[in-house]
Amino acid sequence: DSGVTQTPKHLITATGQRVTLRCSPRSGDLSVYWYQQSLDQGLQFLIHYYNGEERAKGNILERFSAQQFPDLHSELNLSSLELGDSALYFCASSVAPSVRSGSYEQYFGPGTRLTVT
Amino acid sequence: AQTVTQSQPEMSVQEAETVTLSCTYDTSENNYYLFWYKQPPSRQMILVIRQEAYKQQNATENRFSVNFQKAAKSFSLKISDSQLGDTAMYFCAFMGSGSNTGKLIFGQGTTLQVKP
């Protein structure tokens, strides 16, 4: 158990719908990362938050958005869902925001499997 | 942009034998960090080992060790005394030090099957 929690574990929804994935980082971790794992794209970085502020964006679609709240949990919002959004979405956390400032190892949650039908 | 390549989609090894998984990467940075993650059938991502590019000594964690060749931009993982529980997909990952984010860039993965 990495200490990172994600809910829900599974989500099945229809095209055009909106869903919210939730992540709670390990105790003491201020950084939260979101990754998408799909068969065709592999594991891709989506977005990084540190202590409530966005630090970096990867190949995240405009239909997707995220935020990190004062209690440090994070939510990934996916809207206007398409079949191609079906994937495993991981949240990872670390203490520091980068290798420049301390413990940077990332620990992953169990993931949320999203199926769009 | 940094890229990570794992050229072996699938590998197999007999229990108790040794296997080496390959990874190459491309970067213009001089200092960076490399990782191997394991993803068993449960789909959980588990950190196996890490290597700082400024360190010449290869990292070791119990039965897992790496062969880090900085000039060749190569970072292979050696698993000794393979166990059935090592059956998993293994991902090589890169983290740069030149920005204010620790995002990971992953390779495509290698599926390893350990046979009894």
Side-chain angles (χ1 to χ4, degrees):
Chain A
D1 185 358
S2 66
V4 179
T5 60
Q6 288 187 250
T7 56
K9 286 187 178 179
H10 303 278
L11 200 49
I12 301 174
T13 190
T15 54
Q17 295 300 304
R18 172 189 171 93
V19 297
T20 298
L21 312 184
R22 181 187 170 103
C23 167
S24 292
R26 293 187 319 160
S27 177
D29 285 0
L30 300 178
S31 264
V32 169
Y33 300 81
W34 286 96
Y35 295 90
Q36 179 195 57
Q37 185 177 27
S38 62
L39 283 175
D40 53 346
Q41 299 289 334
L43 259 167
Q44 285 202 315
F45 165 73
L46 294 178
I47 198 163
H48 170 204
Y49 275 85
Y50 175 71
N51 204 18
E53 294 186 359
E54 182 184 302
R55 275 295 183 114
K57 267 187 176 180
N59 296 325
I60 187 167
L61 300 170
E62 286 191 10
R63 300 183 285 108
F64 295 2
S65 65
Q67 54 184 326
Q68 186 180 28
F69 295 86
D71 67 352
L72 301 176
H73 91 272
S74 178
E75 292 180 357
L76 179 66
N77 300 295
L78 315 176
S79 61
S80 302
L81 285 167
E82 302 175 359
L83 295 177
D85 298 328
S86 296
L88 187 55
Y89 292 84
F90 284 109
C91 166
S93 73
S94 67
V95 174
S98 73
V99 298
R100 297 177 176 178
S101 44
S103 179
Y104 53 84
E105 291 164 344
Q106 292 180 28
Y107 294 88
F108 282 70
T112 292
R113 177 165 296 283
L114 173 66
T115 303
V116 183
T117 62
Chain B
Q2 295 94 349
T3 58
V4 178
T5 302
Q6 294 178 248
S7 59
Q8 304 154 314
E10 295 181 355
M11 293 191 72
S12 64
V13 63
Q14 291 297 130
E15 198 175 5
E17 297 294 308
T18 296
V19 64
T20 299
L21 309 183
S22 301
C23 172
T24 58
Y25 57 92
D26 189 26
T27 183
S28 58
E29 296 187 38
N30 185 53
N31 193 23
Y32 46 86
Y33 298 73
L34 297 165
F35 305 83
W36 280 97
Y37 278 86
K38 169 184 177 181
Q39 187 179 40
S42 67
R43 306 299 257 173
Q44 175 76 50
M45 293 288 287
I46 302 165
L47 177 61
V48 174
I49 198 165
R50 69 170 184 180
Q51 174 79 42
E52 293 89 348
Y54 63 85
K55 290 186 178 179
Q56 290 187 339
Q57 187 172 7
N58 289 323
T60 298
E61 289 286 344
N62 301 315
R63 298 182 295 107
F64 298 87
S65 61
V66 298
N67 183 4
F68 173 51
Q69 301 289 327
K70 191 172 183 179
K73 295 182 181 175
S74 170
F75 182 60
S76 60
L77 174 70
K78 185 171 83 170
I79 306 174
S80 304
D81 185 26
S82 297
Q83 300 176 0
L84 296 178
D86 296 333
T87 292
M89 180 167 276
Y90 288 82
F91 291 93
C92 177
F94 172 97
M95 181 187 292
S97 63
S99 70
N100 63 352
T101 178
K103 69 178 183 182
L104 290 167
I105 298 169
F106 288 91
Q108 306 93 315
T110 297
T111 299
L112 174 68
Q113 184 179 14
V114 179
K115 298 179 177 179

